[in-house]
Amino acid sequence: MAYKGRLVHELHGIYRFPDLPTDDTTQLRLALLWAGQGAVLDGETVLAMLDLCDVNPRVIHVVVSPGVRVRRQGRPVFRLHKGRVEVDYHRGLPIVSIPQAIRRAAENGMRLDLARQAVDTAVRKELLVESQARKLRTELQNMGRR
């Protein structure tokens, strides 16, 4: 069907009907399909998706459970992480919880001022309660001391 133009080849083993519209979540959905079952959007990708801080990730961060083995070859726009995470959903996409997204992004090298901005914005958008924000601010302050 791809040879005849009825399907568009997106990635190894992943095809799309050309008549289906794409949107700003298309690349995120492709990353989840590429990583396989149980994949969840992670870190900076979640913060950018929710517009919580001025971050523009160069790659789409995806996390899978430690026991999952991704057999697909590397893809330069996707970065795979392993770990256990709390899963939330946004626009039908599985994402790590907002506190975890902020924490994991900071642990993976995002500037701490951007992480603080994400905490403040999440509180303002009522995505975090003040007790969660206080805990995150303390954790970020301790990260800055290392």
Side-chain angles (χ1 to χ4, degrees):
M1 290 178 74
Y3 179 75
K4 294 181 178 183
R6 293 189 181 127
L7 290 176
V8 175
H9 180 254
E10 295 288 350
L11 296 170
H12 177 74
I14 300 173
Y15 297 84
R16 176 180 63 80
F17 288 103
D19 297 342
L20 291 178
T22 59
D23 62 12
D24 58 335
T25 64
T26 300
Q27 287 298 314
L28 301 174
R29 292 178 195 284
L30 283 174
L32 292 169
L33 287 170
W34 173 82
Q37 187 174 0
V40 179
L41 296 174
D42 188 29
E44 290 182 26
T45 301
V46 173
L47 301 181
M49 179 182 178
L50 298 174
D51 198 26
L52 294 181
C53 64
D54 298 328
V55 67
N56 188 13
R58 293 181 183 178
V59 295
I60 298 172
H61 296 265
V62 178
V63 65
V64 295
S65 297
V68 172
R69 183 170 174 199
V70 177
R71 296 177 188 258
R72 298 175 198 259
Q73 293 299 312
R75 178 91 168 146
V77 295
F78 306 145
R79 178 157 303 140
L80 191 65
H81 304 276
K82 292 196 174 192
R84 301 211 183 282
V85 294
E86 299 169 16
V87 180
D88 284 337
Y89 289 87
H90 179 72
R91 294 178 64 189
L93 297 171
I95 62 172
V96 299
S97 67
I98 293 169
Q100 275 194 324
I102 295 169
R103 191 177 300 115
R104 290 172 62 88
E107 288 170 351
N108 286 321
M110 185 177 78
R111 292 185 355 228
L112 293 181
D113 62 316
L114 293 175
R116 288 185 203 97
Q117 179 188 25
V119 172
D120 295 341
T121 306
V123 169
R124 199 169 40 256
K125 289 184 171 187
E126 299 180 352
L127 299 172
L128 285 178
V129 295
E130 192 54 46
S131 61
Q132 291 174 309
R134 268 193 308 275
K135 183 178 178 187
L136 277 169
R137 287 182 187 115
T138 302
E139 289 177 26
L140 293 172
Q141 188 174 8
N142 291 336
M143 281 183 199
R145 292 182 185 149
R146 290 184 214 163

